[in-house]
């Protein structure tokens, strides 16, 4: 049944590059020391490994190594940035601006801030998924301490106008935080050039291990501080206590180094494969829509809706041979389709009909070709079962029907 | 989430997919659910002179469990009298297909589709429910 499994869900997580694993292994066995042990070589070796990784990770985003705080992942980094800024800058203001299409780690951290007495503005995006800069500027008040806008969206791959947002924030003296998880290691990210003051990201989306992430915290112009959200030994310049995950951090560093060297090549190859996937499916099938801005989009991602076919049912036709994500949340308790796609103004029906393809470093052309065939076949099969496809084909206006919503 | 073998079987080999002529007097059509909810079922029955369902067809827009639930429903409907068909309970479908809690709404929808198709048939033929 699972003859050849094809993995097209690299926005969920990536496989760890074998070169990363290789770099990590000595830090489990021989160099197992605690990086905070200052009085013996075991600790020094571990610290050296961490220091080198910190340089590699910093270099990936154009930061200074001292500006990298290691965490357990992007969720922790998002939480530390948002709650940490809210607490640290309480005297300056209590207002945060973010987007409705942000990752749950950002949205839920913002919800917590609201419970703590803060005010949060959740801006809608335009139909192509991009922030409306005029709206953003209009939402800024003298109480605004933070703008949190992700670099690239996890579901659609849409890239926000980071430089313009950074300039707006600088003009108003507001800190700019970004969840750069989907962009880091995939496309060039230069936090200084973009005016980003805090950036959250993680290793496992860039061919590193799970369980390790980072928060970039700007040190000069302005010097940013966040209140620690976990109390303990005062590691990571007091911002994140806890014994460092040395093997994970070393792996993160190696992953960053590989991305620096191979990003351009990977992006070029993957954007061609992505385009091929998209063009072929649109040639083979009618009534297909691409969700989100196509110009400003990650090179390896496409989010497509296949009208009158339900995403999860469609995925079942792949016999578990293709790993993808669907905007249809038929398996979740809420049964609500993707809030990100809905924020783009897609009707719930189109959101239910969507699939996200996210390619990666190890995706081959053969796999993409096989996926094209299986997806096209699956869509055709599901349409043959679909009453609304039949109605559409008969020219019935689906809007005119009184559906019994349940 | 893994699907039960029975769901997979119905999904891969759906029974009684198709369309009956909804304008025929002895055909009842039920269309339930909504595209916005991610599930639409259309279930049709064709009833003979003795009140026995001689044919049933379905088409479903939805997940695997929704398709399996409607496929199973058509299988059960064939050969039943309309009165017996009304006794099909969604929990019978849940049990037969081993649906997990998050998929129970699929079985509810299938029961609704059966009831709706029967109601349509009865209304067309002036039968009091």
């Amino acid at each position: 049944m699972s003859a050849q499994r094809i993995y097209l869900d690299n926005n969920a997580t990536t496989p760890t590059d074998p070169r990363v694993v290789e770099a990590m292994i000595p830090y489990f066995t021989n160099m197992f020391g605690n990086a905070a042990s200052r009085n013996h070589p075991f600790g020094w070796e571990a610290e050296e490994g961490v220091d080198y990784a910190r340089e590699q990770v910093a270099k990936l985003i154009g930061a200074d190594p001292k500006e990298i705080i290691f965490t357990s992942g992007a969720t922790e980094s998002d939480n530390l940035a948002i709650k940490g800024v809210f607490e640290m800058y309480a005297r300056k203001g209590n207002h945060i601006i973010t987007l409705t299409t942000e990752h749950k780690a950002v949205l839920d951290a913002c919800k917590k801030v609201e419970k703590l007495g803060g005010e949060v503005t959740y801006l809608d995006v335009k139909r192509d998924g991009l922030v409306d800069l005029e709206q953003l500027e209009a939402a800024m008040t003298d109480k605004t301490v933070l703008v949190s806008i992700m670099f690239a969206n996890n579901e659609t791959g849409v890239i926000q106008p980071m430089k313009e947002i950074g300039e707006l924030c600088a003009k108003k003296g507001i800190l700019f935080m970004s969840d750069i998880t989907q962009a880091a290691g995939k496309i060039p990210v230069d936090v200084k050039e973009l005016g980003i003051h805090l950036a959250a990201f993680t290793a496992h989306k860039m061919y590193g291990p799970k369980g390790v992430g980072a928060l970039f915290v700007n040190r000069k112009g302005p010097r940013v501080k966040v209140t620690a959200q976990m109390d303990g030994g005062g590691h990571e310049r007091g911002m994140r206590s806890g014994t460092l995950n040395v093997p994970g951090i070393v792996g993160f560093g190696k992953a960053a180094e590989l991305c620096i060297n191979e990003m351009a090549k990977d992006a070029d190859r993957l954007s061609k494969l992505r385009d091929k996937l998209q063009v072929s499916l649109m040639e083979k099938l009618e009534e297909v829509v691409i969700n989100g801005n196509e110009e400003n989009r990650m090179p390896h991602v496409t989010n497509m809706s296949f009208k009158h076919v339900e995403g999860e049912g469609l995925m079942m036709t792949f016999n578990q041979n293709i790993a993808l994500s669907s905007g249809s949340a038929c398996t979740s308790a809420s049964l609500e389709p993707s809030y990100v796609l809905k924020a783009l103004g897609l009707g719930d029906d189109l959101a239910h009909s969507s699939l996200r393809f996210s390619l990666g470093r190890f995706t081959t052309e053969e796999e993409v070709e096989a996926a094209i065939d299986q997806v096209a076949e699956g869509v055709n099969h599901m349409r043959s079962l679909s009453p609304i496809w039949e109605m559409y084909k008969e020219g019935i206006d689906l809007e005119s029907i009184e559906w019994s919503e349940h | 989430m893994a699907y039960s073998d029975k769901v997979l079987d119905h999904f891969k080999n759906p029974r009684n997919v198709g369309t009956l002529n909804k304008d025929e007097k002895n055909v009842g059509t039920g269309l339930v659910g909504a595209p916005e909810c991610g599930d639409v079922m259309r279930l049709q029955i064709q009833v003979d002179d003795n009140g026995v369902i001689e044919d049933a067809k379905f088409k479903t827009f939805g997940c695997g469990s929704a398709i399996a639930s409607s496929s199973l429903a058509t299988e059960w409907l064939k050969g039943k009298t309309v009165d017996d068909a009304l006794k099909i309970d969604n929990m019978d479908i849940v049990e037969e297909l081993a649906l997990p809690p998050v998929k129970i709404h699929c079985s509810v929808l299938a029961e609704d589709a059966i009831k709706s198709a029967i109601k349509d048939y009865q209304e067309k033929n002036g039968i009091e429910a």
Side-chain angles (χ1 to χ4, degrees), chain A residues 148-168:
Chain A
S148 178
I149 292 181
M150 72 204 317
F151 203 119
N153 186 271
N154 46 314
E155 291 194 32
T156 58
V158 166
I159 299 168
Q160 297 292 349
M162 300 306 283
K163 191 153 191 188
E164 286 80 354
I165 300 168
E167 280 165 5
L168 265 184

Side-chain angles (χ1 to χ4, degrees), chain A residues 22-215:
Chain A
E22 203 183 321
M24 290 170 69
I25 287 172
Y27 288 90
F28 287 104
T29 50
N30 295 333
M31 299 187 277
F32 60 86
N34 186 327
S37 297
R38 290 288 159 77
N39 42 12
H40 54 68
F42 293 87
W44 303 337
E45 286 166 358
E47 193 185 18
E48 258 174 52
V50 169
D51 285 347
Y52 183 56
R54 204 184 295 279
E55 279 173 33
Q56 292 166 308
V57 170
K59 194 177 167 199
L60 177 71
I61 60 165
D64 185 275
K66 291 197 190 79
E67 297 175 313
I68 298 296
I69 308 294
F70 285 117
T71 67
S72 64
T75 292
E76 188 193 335
S77 299
D78 284 329
N79 274 270
L80 177 56
I82 291 166
K83 296 175 190 168
V85 163
F86 176 71
E87 256 189 80
M88 182 62 74
Y89 293 85
R91 266 189 293 176
K92 184 173 177 279
N94 68 341
H95 180 230
I96 292 175
I97 303 171
T98 189
L99 302 180
T100 53
T101 50
E102 290 291 307
H103 191 273
K104 282 284 179 196
V106 166
L107 293 175
D108 288 355
C110 285
K111 291 258 150 53
K112 187 61 173 277
V113 161
E114 286 183 286
K115 274 191 194 155
L116 296 172
E119 278 180 41
V120 181
T121 301
Y122 302 90
L123 292 176
D124 281 325
V125 293
K126 297 185 283 188
R127 283 192 79 91
D128 59 3
L130 294 176
V131 61
D132 184 328
L133 290 166
E134 280 174 27
Q135 257 187 33
L136 173 62
E137 185 165 9
M140 294 172 166
T141 71
D142 53 1
K143 290 280 172 213
T144 310
V145 287
L146 184 73
V147 166
S148 178
I149 292 181
M150 72 204 317
F151 203 119
N153 186 271
N154 46 314
E155 291 194 32
T156 58
V158 166
I159 299 168
Q160 297 292 349
M162 300 306 283
K163 191 153 191 188
E164 286 80 354
I165 300 168
E167 280 165 5
L168 265 184
C169 291
K171 197 170 88 181
K172 305 264 181 176
I174 297 168
L175 294 178
F176 178 23
M177 179 248 163
S178 183
D179 183 326
I180 63 167
T181 302
Q182 295 293 344
K186 311 279 177 65
I187 57 172
V189 173
D190 188 326
V191 288
K192 303 289 171 177
E193 195 193 304
L194 299 169
I196 298 172
H197 303 118
L198 298 120
F201 54 120
T202 188
H204 78 95
K205 308 271 193 195
M206 43 183 268
Y207 314 101
K210 291 168 186 62
V212 56
L215 179 66

